[in-house]
Amino acid sequence: MIYSKRQYEILMKSIELIAEKGIQNLTIKNLSKKIGISEPAIYRHFENKLEILRAILELFKRESKESFDIKDKDADSIKRLEEIFTEHIKKFNENPYIASVIFSEGYFINNSDLQKLVGEIMSYSINRTKEIIKYGQERGEIRGDIKPENLTMIFIGSLRLLVKEWAQNGFKEDLIKKGEAFGNSLIKILKKDRNK
């Protein structure tokens, strides 16, 4: 979906509000105060709070999928994983507060639509990463002594933990720099040792 300038502003301010006060404090009333517009003005763009949360998750889903797009069609699987890791880090760095929403999945358990959407985002990331790892193992680029599912969990879990820790520390560290150093270590773990 393509959002209007005002809808996009509402989504970004909602994300900021969640980061500042927690997802439970995202209300139309609090949001109208934050943006400086009336509650009816927000309702003209979004039916309710759940629709705003759904839109935020859809936006993240689209951006996450873009991170998996292959820019270099001839790149080996290690390069593709490096690119995916770097793109996700860049996206979180550009919009740090999105981490506060994405990692509030406990809140979404009470709503089956939002829970389903979070599940779709996770499944897509897991499946695409596993495909790349399997392909890399077949080509001898990625170590074959560990199951693709386990390497996938190491890859995704590491990215998730890195961003979550950064968010919990108030986004103070340089995520790009930290991500680059951590990403290099992660790639060493995944890469097949050519000396064996």
Side-chain angles (χ1 to χ4, degrees):
M1 179 177 182
I2 297 176
Y3 299 105
S4 69
K5 187 176 178 183
R6 176 62 87 187
Q7 284 176 312
Y8 191 77
E9 178 190 16
I10 291 168
L11 294 177
M12 293 303 107
K13 292 296 183 183
S14 297
I15 291 168
E16 284 180 31
L17 185 61
I18 291 167
E20 291 165 6
K21 298 188 176 188
I23 202 163
Q24 66 280 1
N25 286 306
L26 174 63
T27 63
I28 301 300
K29 184 177 183 175
N30 289 343
L31 188 55
S32 74
K33 285 179 189 173
K34 181 153 187 71
I35 299 173
I37 61 174
S38 69
E39 290 178 46
I42 293 173
Y43 283 117
R44 279 195 291 274
H45 297 283
F46 292 99
E47 213 173 285
N48 53 38
K49 170 184 170 173
L50 288 177
E51 191 175 314
I52 291 171
L53 288 170
R54 188 177 298 109
I56 291 168
L57 291 173
E58 287 287 357
L59 193 62
F60 180 76
K61 181 180 176 182
R62 186 175 67 216
E63 289 182 357
S64 184
K65 282 186 174 186
E66 287 171 6
S67 296
F68 280 93
D69 286 348
I70 305 165
K71 290 167 184 65
D72 181 357
K73 301 285 184 198
D74 298 322
D76 66 25
S77 53
I78 292 293
K79 292 278 182 215
R80 288 169 70 190
L81 289 172
E82 285 175 331
E83 190 176 89
I84 290 164
F85 192 88
T86 302
E87 284 298 311
H88 274 83
I89 293 294
K90 280 183 191 173
K91 288 199 185 297
F92 279 114
N93 194 60
E94 288 166 9
N95 191 356
Y97 300 124
I98 194 77
S100 301
V101 178
I102 299 306
F103 301 133
S104 297
E105 64 272 282
Y107 177 84
F108 302 134
I109 288 172
N110 298 324
N111 184 286
S112 60
D113 286 344
L114 297 179
Q115 188 178 17
K116 182 181 175 202
L117 196 47
V118 170
E120 286 172 8
I121 294 167
M122 286 294 292
S123 292
Y124 182 82
S125 298
I126 289 167
N127 292 332
R128 288 291 290 124
T129 302
K130 189 161 61 170
E131 284 172 18
I132 295 166
I133 288 172
K134 276 182 168 179
Y135 179 71
Q137 286 178 326
E138 289 166 8
R139 290 181 51 169
E141 298 161 349
I142 293 178
R143 61 188 304 160
D145 59 333
I146 300 175
K147 289 181 179 179
E149 327 31 71
N150 295 339
L151 290 177
T152 299
M153 288 300 137
I154 290 168
F155 182 82
I156 291 175
S158 297
L159 175 61
R160 184 182 174 87
L161 185 60
L162 178 73
V163 174
K164 194 164 187 170
E165 180 190 43
W166 173 68
Q168 287 181 331
N169 289 330
F171 314 107
K172 292 177 185 148
E173 295 178 82
D174 183 343
L175 183 63
I176 300 288
K177 189 176 177 183
K178 189 171 182 177
E180 187 179 312
F182 188 81
N184 290 336
S185 298
L186 183 57
I187 292 303
K188 284 180 185 175
I189 292 168
L190 296 172
K191 213 175 209 178
K192 182 175 182 178
D193 186 351
R194 305 252 181 225
N195 296 323
K196 287 186 179 180

